[in-house]
Amino acid sequence: SSSDITNVENYRKANYAAPNPAYFGKAKGMNVIYVSLESFQNFMIDYKMPNGQEVTPFLDSLAHDGNTFYFDNFYHQTGQGKTSDAEFLMENSLYPLSQGAVFINKDQNTYQATPAILGQQGYTSAVFHGNYKTFWNRNVMYKALGYDKFFDAGYYDMSPGNIKNYGMKDKPYFQESMPMLESLKQPFYTKFITLSNHFPFEMDPQDTTFPAGNFGDDPVVNDYFQSAHYMDDALKQFFDSLKADGLYDKTVIILYGDHYGLSENHNAAMAKVLGVPKITPTINAQLQEVPLFIHVPGVKGGVQHQYGGEVDVRPTLLHLLGIDTKDYIEFGSDLLSKENRNWALFRNGDYVSPQVTEVSGKFYNTNTGDLLPNQNAYKSINDKVTAELQMSDQVVNKDLLRFYSPKGFKPINPNDYQYLGPK
Ligand code: GP9
Ligand code: MN
């Protein structure tokens, strides 16, 4: 009802982080490219194999080139909706559901998502994904988000050598995407969903010369290194294509890991990977870190240590594009704002900040991993996390955005969008 939405509005106003004038509008009018890095965890950045070889030399170079923002305390906040939950977080700055996938269960809701917002500013929006459009109900949900175009498997050469479990391998995927990307009217807002670094990670031998890991008898963990290396190489190739066709200099590029790739079932091997005696609760929380990179042409970057999660990216991006988010209902905090809140919650109610990590209702020192002495002193953290998740769940479960009109935003009609496939 309208009183529910008023509560949310008040919460939102109290938690809004104003744009940083040093960055506000610095990317105004530029194209946007998001790249979802399948199952890619942050521990891989700068990771070296026992023989000294870097696993992801291209991403490592972005992390350290000084021209790209690299966030090294950034967390996934997904639930059972996996890749699609990450998409939902990034484009709505709302949390996904505690059970099931919001893309499937809440596809008829009203949203005020980034593609719709930018569509009203003259942007063309498109998704590129080498899997069939019905997966995660994307073909329905993307209409509610306001996506103009959806280049799904029907647009790609899905012959056997090009595909691996869920669809296109990253190299042919990016290669075949280029002409479609170049055909879009600019400015564009686009999302690329990579696929080949997906569980169980095993590669076709002809696609890699990179050595598998040798961390005991867990093939999933061992294969993860090869597969991540392949994705890194595919990204380098994509960036080279963007530089060659001139798009690189007029495009904001955001790369993010969608969620963990190695679940707790692999903790024995992961202890070997990380060189620790065992995976403690705080190390397990840190394993939920995914990398976030933001490249803005003409803006200096560098390594950023503030804590945040996928929910925080939308205000960060919109502020870079010169769109103040104060009139939108969102739960994130601009990562580049001076008022950035510097913490992240998980969908299961856990919490991380520079000092305190909460796991299953217990509070730990983030740096030492020790249980904190006076547990009761941290109850307010738990309350804060619960309140925020409840608030977001109300918006989604009660479809509250129906009752809310952001200033300057026209409601969209999902039926105006159609994804008919290639001619
Ligand atoms: C398939 C892709 C699968 O389209 O989203 O990845 P998942 O969601 O299982 O991580
Ligand atoms: Mn995924």
Side-chain angles (χ1 to χ4, degrees), residues 38 83 258-259:
E38 179 57 44
T83 309
D258 62 348
H259 51 72

Side-chain angles (χ1 to χ4, degrees), residues 171-207:
K171 285 185 186 178
Y173 161 68
F174 279 123
Q175 208 172 358
E176 291 182 30
S177 298
M178 283 313 294
M180 299 187 265
L181 177 67
E182 288 160 359
S183 75
L184 295 179
K185 189 168 162 291
Q186 297 184 42
F188 56 67
Y189 170 88
T190 56
K191 171 161 63 182
F192 288 77
I193 307 169
T194 68
L195 210 44
S196 43
N197 190 48
H198 195 286
F199 184 90
F201 309 112
E202 190 183 358
M203 294 193 62
D204 291 339
Q206 72 272 19
D207 290 329

Side-chain angles (χ1 to χ4, degrees), residues 33-38 40 45 55-62 169-175 178 192-197 227-243 248 253-257 291 293:
I33 291 178
Y34 266 112
V35 186
S36 165
L37 308 175
E38 179 57 44
F40 190 62
I45 301 299
V55 184
T56 58
F58 176 66
L59 290 173
D60 298 353
S61 75
L62 289 187
K169 295 174 183 172
D170 295 344
K171 285 185 186 178
Y173 161 68
F174 279 123
Q175 208 172 358
M178 283 313 294
F192 288 77
I193 307 169
T194 68
L195 210 44
S196 43
N197 190 48
S227 171
H229 178 80
Y230 173 88
M231 182 183 70
D232 183 73
D233 219 29
L235 290 166
K236 179 179 185 300
Q237 166 208 302
F238 182 46
F239 272 59
D240 286 344
S241 310
L242 294 171
K243 286 175 185 166
Y248 183 77
I253 305 175
I254 302 182
L255 314 177
Y256 68 99
F293 297 90

Side-chain angles (χ1 to χ4, degrees), residues 38 81-83 129 131 135-136 138 166 195 198 258-259:
E38 179 57 44
K82 308 296 297 190
T83 309
H129 186 41
N131 188 358
F135 203 93
W136 287 128
R138 285 182 174 104
Y166 283 103
L195 210 44
H198 195 286
D258 62 348
H259 51 72

Side-chain angles (χ1 to χ4, degrees), residues 111-125 144-146 148 187 189 323 328 405-413 416-417:
Y111 295 106
Q112 291 142 8
T114 311
I117 295 170
L118 293 180
Q120 296 177 14
Q121 311 267 337
Y123 278 72
T124 305
S125 56
L145 302 180
D148 296 318
Y189 170 88
I323 299 167
Y328 286 95
S405 323
K407 221 174 277 156
F409 178 83
K410 285 201 313 290
I412 62 158
N413 179 357
D416 291 345
Y417 302 88

